[in-house]
Amino acid sequence: MGAARLVLIGLGAALLLALVFVGGRALVGTLSTETPAPTASATPSAAPTERTATLRIACVAEICPVVLVRVPGGDVLNDRDLTRGEEIVYYEPELDVAIGDTSTVEVTVNGTPRPKGRPGQQEAFTVSRATPGPAG
């Protein structure tokens, strides 16, 4: 009975090590795929500087409560508070936006500034990329 118990303990330890190994690999794979996610002042798309952004949000208060930007039906690009001086810029064709306090941010859509809201006012809207006019 002592040998059987040792075999079971050995199998349990081997199974635990296998689970830790598989979990570690999955975690490393997940972290490496999240690396290209947008940062506070980076643009998620590698776009030339002469191209007009679909959306630009700049924080002008100490804290700008939750600024949510996502691709409709898809990835969440930003879902956090911003701090003074932070700016996020996106070039996607369509975006859903929700702002916790519209008086704390400057929002520009396709190069056109949106009016600021009252303190504490929340707003949610969708923006679409401006399409260039027909070639002459």
Side-chain angles (χ1 to χ4, degrees):
M1 189 139 147
R5 193 176 282 179
L6 287 176
V7 169
L8 286 175
I9 290 173
L11 286 174
L15 180 61
L16 180 64
L17 284 174
L19 285 173
V20 168
F21 177 74
V22 169
R25 287 198 54 173
L27 180 62
V28 168
T30 300
L31 292 176
S32 65
T33 56
E34 289 182 12
T35 315
T39 58
S41 60
T43 57
S45 305
T49 54
E50 66 271 359
R51 205 167 109 186
T52 303
T54 307
L55 176 70
R56 178 189 158 276
I57 300 175
C59 180
V60 295
E62 285 303 312
I63 298 288
C64 298
V66 181
V67 176
L68 170 70
V69 180
R70 60 173 276 169
V71 175
D75 294 336
V76 173
L77 304 176
N78 189 78
D79 185 11
R80 64 181 182 83
D81 294 351
L82 301 179
T83 57
R84 184 181 299 279
E86 275 190 277
E87 180 179 287
I88 52 178
V89 181
Y90 299 99
Y91 294 88
E92 278 69 19
E94 187 174 18
L95 297 164
D96 289 334
V97 182
I99 299 173
D101 186 345
T102 57
S103 70
T104 62
V105 292
E106 291 177 348
V107 179
T108 307
V109 177
N110 295 309
T112 304
R114 282 179 65 98
K116 274 189 175 182
R118 297 180 316 276
Q121 179 181 356
Q122 297 177 355
E123 189 174 6
F125 53 93
T126 300
V127 297
S128 296
R129 181 110 185 103
T131 55

